């Protein structure tokens, strides 16, 4: 029997579907040293964000000789040493289409939350404060959305932003074909300087260093907002707090963090940051699509 380890959990319907098709599915998280040993018992490893599949784990799996497939349930594969795994004969894949809409909707929701002080006003009202005059916000219509990276999620967000009257500018290292003519391609620096809302949709840098540094934040308008729903560490968190505290930026959104769970007290205590605990793909619909895609990948791999 083909055994599947879902180390970060799996959609219930997908797990049931796999079991009905004759696979054994185990949902259990293991710390790295334990995971090395456990992979000797599995043909497939399914991960989300919590499990890191690095070279030592891959070496242990190769030595055991059973693991054939690693699936990342989500968009990126930053937590997997993909080239190394595939050089050792282990196939690595992901589910890039499944959560695009859910992440785009979260980003748009945060844009409204920042522009209209929804997050902080909710907190202060529960503290018994009535700060009506303090929370004069801005409208999204007529503002410019700048997208750093123009993949599936960015395009889904751009479509929604354009529908409410925002202008869309973007930057990408590749030429993206088939985009609406009204979207304008610029350099990253031009996007940062011209956008009212900057949203990041790129992988982490190879060495984990910030892609948006204090220097980049200084390029932005003091009335601008920045969002990161992509990968933790893309923005220098302390430089971001410095910019916000010194009124160099109007606000920020973070759904992902350099260290998760979040332990940066400066970020936690900054009222100008709208935060969520890495829930970009956490909708019932997205989880259903991710699960279905995982089942399809496994079926195609073992029954082609």
């Amino acid at each position: 029997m083909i055994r599947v380890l879902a180390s970060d959990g799996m959609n219930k319907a997908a797990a049931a579907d796999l079991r009905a098709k004759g696979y054994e599915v185990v949902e259990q998280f293991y710390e790295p040293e334990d995971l090395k040993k456990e992979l000797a018992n599995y043909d497939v490893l399914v991960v989300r964000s919590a499990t890191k599949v690095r070279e030592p784990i891959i070496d242990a799996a190769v030595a055991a000789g059973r693991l054939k497939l690693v699936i990342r349930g989500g968009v990126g594969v930053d937590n997997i040493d993909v080239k190394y795994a595939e050089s050792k004969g282990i196939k690595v894949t992901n589910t890039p289409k499944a959560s695009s809409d859910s992440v785009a909707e979260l980003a748009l929701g945060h844009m409204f939350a920042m522009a209209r002080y929804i997050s902080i006003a909710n907190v202060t009202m529960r503290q018994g404060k009535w700060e009506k005059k303090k929370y004069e916000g801005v409208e999204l219509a007529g503002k410019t959305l700048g997208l750093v990276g123009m993949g599936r999620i960015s395009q889904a967000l751009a479509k929604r932003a354009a529908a409410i009257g925002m202008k869309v500018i973007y930057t990408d290292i590749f030429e993206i074909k088939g985009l609406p003519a009204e979207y304008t391609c610029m350099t990253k620096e031009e996007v940062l300087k011209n956008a009212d809302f900057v949203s990041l949709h790129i992988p982490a840098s190879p060495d984990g260093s910030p892609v948006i540094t204090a220097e980049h934040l200084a390029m932005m308008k003091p009335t601008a907002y920045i969002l990161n729903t992509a990968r933790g560490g893309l923005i220098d968190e302390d430089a971001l707090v410095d910019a916000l505290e010194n009124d160099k930026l109007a606000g920020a959104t973070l759904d992902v963090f350099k260290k998760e769970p979040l332990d940066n007290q400066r970020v936690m205590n900054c009222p100008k940051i709208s935060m969520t605990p890495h829930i970009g793909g956490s909708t019932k619909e997205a989880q259903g699509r991710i699960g279905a895609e995982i089942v399809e990948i496994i079926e195609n791999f073992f029954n082609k």
Side-chain angles (χ1 to χ4, degrees):
M1 178 181 287
I2 295 170
R3 302 189 77 214
V4 179
L5 174 62
S7 62
D8 300 331
M10 183 182 287
N11 174 263
K12 291 181 179 179
D17 193 10
L18 284 172
R19 291 181 180 117
K21 294 178 186 298
Y23 300 89
E24 181 179 350
V25 180
V26 176
E27 298 180 66
Q28 174 68 52
F29 176 80
Y30 291 101
E31 295 294 343
E33 288 304 313
D34 293 325
L35 184 60
K36 288 180 185 179
K37 301 172 186 175
E38 288 296 326
L39 287 180
N41 303 312
Y42 293 94
D43 304 278
V44 183
L45 173 63
V46 180
V47 304
R48 291 295 305 274
S49 300
T51 299
K52 314 300 180 187
V53 188
R54 301 305 181 196
E55 290 188 13
I57 289 174
I58 294 166
D59 285 338
V62 171
R66 183 163 180 177
L67 188 69
K68 304 174 184 68
L69 174 65
V70 177
I71 304 172
R72 161 73 161 93
V75 179
V77 287
D78 308 53
N79 55 323
I80 305 169
D81 289 337
V82 178
K83 290 183 179 179
Y84 189 76
E86 295 195 331
S87 74
K88 300 293 184 178
I90 297 173
K91 172 69 175 176
V92 179
T93 188
N94 63 345
T95 60
K97 302 175 184 178
S99 58
S100 297
D101 286 340
S102 63
V103 178
E105 289 190 5
L106 180 70
L108 183 61
H110 272 295
M111 287 165 63
F112 279 113
M114 289 189 297
R116 298 306 305 273
Y117 297 100
I118 294 171
S119 295
I120 188 62
N122 181 55
V123 171
T124 56
M125 285 195 70
R126 294 175 189 277
Q127 296 171 344
K129 300 176 183 178
W130 186 266
E131 300 185 322
K132 179 179 174 67
K133 293 182 179 180
K134 186 176 180 179
Y135 299 137
E136 181 181 47
V138 297
E139 297 176 1
L140 298 189
K143 300 299 188 297
T144 298
L145 171 63
L147 297 163
V148 179
M150 199 56 171
R152 291 184 179 91
I153 295 172
S154 285
Q155 291 178 40
L157 178 56
K159 181 179 179 179
R160 289 159 173 76
I164 60 173
M166 298 187 78
K167 177 183 176 182
V168 176
I169 60 177
Y170 72 95
T171 187
D172 201 288
I173 60 173
F174 301 107
E175 180 183 358
I176 311 297
K177 297 181 179 180
L179 296 176
E182 59 269 24
Y183 296 179
T184 304
C185 183
M186 297 181 171
T187 66
K188 183 172 82 171
E189 290 72 19
E190 289 172 331
V191 167
L192 294 173
K193 291 176 182 178
N194 288 281
D196 299 300
F197 292 81
V198 172
S199 191
L200 307 180
H201 300 281
I202 51 178
S205 59
D207 62 359
S209 61
V211 175
I212 302 297
T213 63
E215 181 181 1
H216 293 112
L217 295 171
M219 297 178 185
M220 297 176 62
K221 303 175 184 179
T223 54
Y225 303 80
I226 190 165
L227 304 89
N228 184 13
T229 58
R231 287 290 175 268
L234 288 179
I235 304 175
D236 183 324
E237 291 177 353
D238 287 310
L240 175 62
V241 175
D242 288 341
L244 293 167
E245 289 181 344
N246 291 295
D247 297 325
K248 301 299 183 182
L249 283 177
T253 278
L254 298 175
D255 181 54
V256 289
F257 305 88
K258 184 176 182 180
K259 182 180 179 182
E260 296 181 0
L262 173 64
D263 65 355
N264 187 325
Q265 293 295 321
R266 295 191 70 207
V267 172
M268 289 179 178
N269 295 323
C270 183
K272 292 186 177 180
I273 299 178
S274 178
M275 293 179 288
T276 41
H278 202 154
I279 59 171
S282 297
T283 63
K284 292 179 180 179
E285 294 85 355
Q287 291 306 304
R289 290 191 296 266
I290 289 170
E293 199 166 341
I294 288 170
V295 172
E296 182 180 0
I297 290 168
I298 293 172
E299 279 280 88
N300 288 341
F301 185 86
F302 290 100
N303 297 295
K304 57 186 176 182

